[in-house]
Amino acid sequence: MSLTDADTTRRMQALPVRVPLVNEPWGILKSLNMARQNVLRIIPEIATLQPMVSGKTGKRWHMVMDPGAIRQILLERVDDYPKSVVTKNLLKPAIGDSLFIAEGAHWRWQRRAAAPVFSHRNVMNLSPIMTSAAERAAQRIAAAGPRAVNLLDEMVTTTFDVISDVTFSGGDTFDRDAVHGAIDDYIAEAGKISLFDILGAPDWIPRPGRMMSGKALKEMKGMADAAIEARATRGHDGTPDLLDLLLEGVDPKTKRQMNTAELRDNLLTFIVAGHETTALTLAWAMYLVAFDQGVQDRARAEAQAVLGDRAATGDDLDNLPYIRQIIDETLRLYPPAGVISRTAQKPDTLCDRAILPGDTVMIPIYALGRHQQLWDNADAFDPDRFADAKSIDRYAYLPFGDGPRICIGASFALQEAVIVLATLLARFRFRPVPGRDPEPVMILTLRPQGGVWLTAERV
């Protein structure tokens, strides 16, 4: 099935929601205020037109959109560009020195120990959990009847079901909802950029908001430690889950294994990142296919031809290429991690511009995916641009980052997203609710503020 000329014209005229980017210089206080409301609001419009933009807001900063320079940051000189102090200040109280923010040798041994956990075989072994969660989501949507459903809430429920079952299966004495709530509360109250961060103050200066959530985090970590130690003592029957695999994980170079604190910090990282980012991708994908019924029809035809009446499985992924293209295009337009931030450690040159030690170097993934020089009709929703993935510059499309620190759970997230989206599109026609378009807002992740409200009609 192909789109008609009328479809193409309509899609070029009507574009999905987009954040209005900055067209004037801002001072520190206004930048802080905007960043606390929506980090994307501090990205200048020219970041979608130029290879690099620099400035000073308390500290020198650079936004880099040139694929060659991005390769230099993420691959060729990765040790010279560790995660920024701001990123570490925001996340370390919640997830410790886990894979997400660790650096150097401490990061390398953890990565080597954890890499086998996310092998193709292990991820495929966990796919039945994703299939079951997709089936339950379809049943909940069907039970809602003709009324509008907030697909953001629905996808958060679905992906949290998945990550809970693949992390702490077997009925461990672990209050999953309490863990989820404690981390969400921390991010909501303490994860906003502080004026101290923009001014480059050292991390030992207390950030008041982050101090307020310490008690809940301490209780959550104690509960997680108890569950980990109980599993290590008694073991677990059935398909190994993420905790089993991490308990068995050994760095082949140093023979080191994670202790309880290291296991806990990495598991909490996987719990948060493993459901939040996939839920957001699915929610934005649902918005986009409701926005473009032609794309939805084509995707439904593919899903129904492969699945019939059943839910999708891991074995179906190779037969659902257009569903995967929708996920890829969604990640281009609404990447869950809208900005990657690094702190330069050594002098360097990017796009013929001097980089000094201590400079903040950002890759605005949101602007990169909408860059006018890298993408045709960059703000349009067009899954066909991913029909030939090899034709796309590797460093123009970075929803999972790249280089040694590429997201370790990328294949897990993509598998889950395709399984859930295919299952739902095979059974329902989704339509938008007039006047309820979501607003893209980023604090730590790019969320559809106001939810994704759609009606679902059985087909």
Side-chain angles (χ1 to χ4, degrees), residues 46-67:
I46 57 172
T48 65
L49 300 169
Q50 296 184 3
M52 186 169 171
V53 180
S54 300
K56 186 174 182 180
T57 312
K59 295 183 68 174
R60 280 168 48 103
W61 56 263
H62 313 273
M63 291 188 183
V64 183
M65 290 68 62
D66 176 72

Side-chain angles (χ1 to χ4, degrees), residues 348-412:
D348 196 7
T349 301
L350 298 172
C351 299
D352 298 321
R353 194 167 300 176
I355 306 297
L356 303 179
D359 285 3
T360 297
V361 179
M362 293 171 277
I363 304 171
I365 307 296
Y366 181 84
L368 184 70
R370 295 169 182 267
H371 201 282
Q372 304 298 314
Q373 305 304 314
L374 299 174
W375 304 94
D376 292 333
N377 199 13
D379 287 322
F381 174 52
D382 181 11
D384 276 327
R385 72 176 85 235
F386 285 93
D388 179 13
K390 293 181 180 179
S391 67
I392 295 170
D393 189 312
R394 180 67 192 87
Y395 288 88
Y397 177 70
L398 295 167
F400 297 104
D402 196 66
R405 300 201 68 136
I406 191 170
C407 175
I408 197 171
S411 61
F412 180 99

Side-chain angles (χ1 to χ4, degrees), residues 20-35 38-43 56-57 61:
L21 302 181
V22 183
N23 284 301
E24 61 185 4
W26 288 345
I28 291 177
L29 292 179
K30 187 167 184 179
S31 295
L32 172 64
N33 185 48
M34 289 295 104
N38 187 354
V39 173
L40 299 182
R41 292 294 304 276
I42 67 172
I43 299 175
K56 186 174 182 180
T57 312
W61 56 263

Side-chain angles (χ1 to χ4, degrees), residues 74 83 184 285 302 338 358 429:
L74 298 182
K83 297 216 171 184
D184 275 3
E302 177 181 87
R429 174 175 297 281

Side-chain angles (χ1 to χ4, degrees), residues 181-198:
I183 293 180
D184 275 3
D185 288 347
Y186 177 83
I187 290 171
E189 298 301 325
K192 295 180 180 179
I193 290 176
S194 161
L195 180 59
F196 293 122
D197 298 317
I198 286 184

Side-chain angles (χ1 to χ4, degrees), residues 172-222:
D172 289 286
T173 55
F174 188 82
D175 189 338
R176 302 171 182 184
D177 290 341
V179 170
H180 187 202
I183 293 180
D184 275 3
D185 288 347
Y186 177 83
I187 290 171
E189 298 301 325
K192 295 180 180 179
I193 290 176
S194 161
L195 180 59
F196 293 122
D197 298 317
I198 286 184
L199 293 174
D203 58 6
W204 53 262
I205 295 180
R207 272 60 163 176
R210 288 169 219 165
M211 295 173 66
M212 294 169 58
S213 54
K215 185 173 184 291
L217 285 173
K218 185 176 180 180
E219 292 174 353
M220 174 195 68
K221 290 180 179 182

Side-chain angles (χ1 to χ4, degrees), residues 151-160 273-286 336 416-417 447-448:
L151 267 295
L152 172 60
D153 289 348
E154 187 54 59
M155 293 301 95
V156 168
T157 297
T158 301
T159 60
F160 192 65
H275 91 278
E276 167 86 356
T277 55
T278 309
L280 294 176
T281 301
L282 282 164
W284 283 116
M286 300 305 301
E416 180 181 5
R447 300 177 64 87

